Amino acid sequence: MDFYIEGLNLAAFEYRCKTFKKSFRFGERFTPWNCPHCRSGRLIAKQESFIKTNEQVFLDAEEVIFSFSGNFDCDTCHNKTSTIGHGAIRTRYDSDSETGQCHEWEDETCLPTFFSPQVSLFQPVQGTPASVVDALNRSFMIAWIDISASCNILRTVVEKLFNEKWPDIKGKTLHRKIEALQRYSVEDPISMKVCTYLTAIKFLGNEASHDDVLEERDLAVAFELIEQILITLYDSRQQKLDVWAKMVTDAKGRPIK
Ligand SMILES: [Zn+2]
């Protein structure tokens, strides 16, 4: 289903805008990531915990670019997470809406390309099998440096999912296994939706075998699809809601006994 607004395919536009690489600024309360040690704390960037190297000044563009390395602190368990990456300082201009006066300020942003231990791009729901989480973590680990390889590992995540969730479904290829699951799921719209998501990840994984075909947005969407699959399959609250919705629908609004 496409969503069009004044001729613009909104869904396609949003797809093209998807990202997973986030940047941070010193001085902001939190960075975008959770702590990989305790999983619940938020990572904090303190200026004194980082060093900058290889500064290059571009006067024309009013920009300085640099490399950095350092450690994030966790606001909860206080463990450290190492990172490296690159950043930029750009001159920005604002005007005061009341006085009309223009003032100049420096906007410094830092984009990590590596974390140790690896941060998660999303937290798999409780109950997700360990083999699936392990493969997912490997995908997270290289997402910043090799999009195709990371997407290829997501295909492995789907294979692990079949081993854990549907061990009786056989097939020489992942394509055949998904087809078999679709045949079992004809009467079940929730499983059919999962099959559609699995198929999309399979196609992206296939494309990942060709160099430089995939872009950040493809991997960002693949991560969201995997996250939703895991919620559908393993989140107990989601499963309960699915059952309740079916009970009410089957009863056509009559009281549930
Ligand atoms: Zn922590």
Side-chain angles (χ1 to χ4, degrees), residues 247-256:
M247 283 167 61
V248 173
T249 306
D250 288 348
K252 295 184 168 54
R254 290 189 298 273
I256 304 291

Side-chain angles (χ1 to χ4, degrees), residues 166 181 189-199 229 232-233:
W166 306 287
L181 182 60
I190 293 169
S191 297
M192 286 301 283
K193 186 177 82 171
V194 168
C195 285
T196 306
Y197 288 11
L198 292 171
T199 305
I229 289 169
T232 305
L233 295 178

Side-chain angles (χ1 to χ4, degrees), residues 123-129 161 165 190 194 226-243:
Q123 196 60 46
V125 291
Q126 210 169 10
T128 303
L161 207 51
K165 188 73 183 175
I190 293 169
V194 168
I226 284 278
E227 183 179 19
Q228 192 55 49
I229 289 169
L230 297 179
I231 289 170
T232 305
L233 295 178
Y234 294 107
D235 183 63
S236 54
R237 182 170 178 271
Q238 177 73 53
Q239 289 170 340
K240 199 185 300 172
L241 283 172
D242 293 342
V243 171

Side-chain angles (χ1 to χ4, degrees), residues 6 12 43 102 121 160 181 211:
E6 294 179 355
L43 295 185
C102 187
L121 287 169
K160 300 280 182 194
L181 182 60
D211 281 347

Side-chain angles (χ1 to χ4, degrees), residues 35-41 74-79:
C35 169
H37 298 279
C38 67
R39 306 276 178 191
S40 56
C74 173
D75 74 329
T76 303
C77 73
H78 306 296
N79 278 311

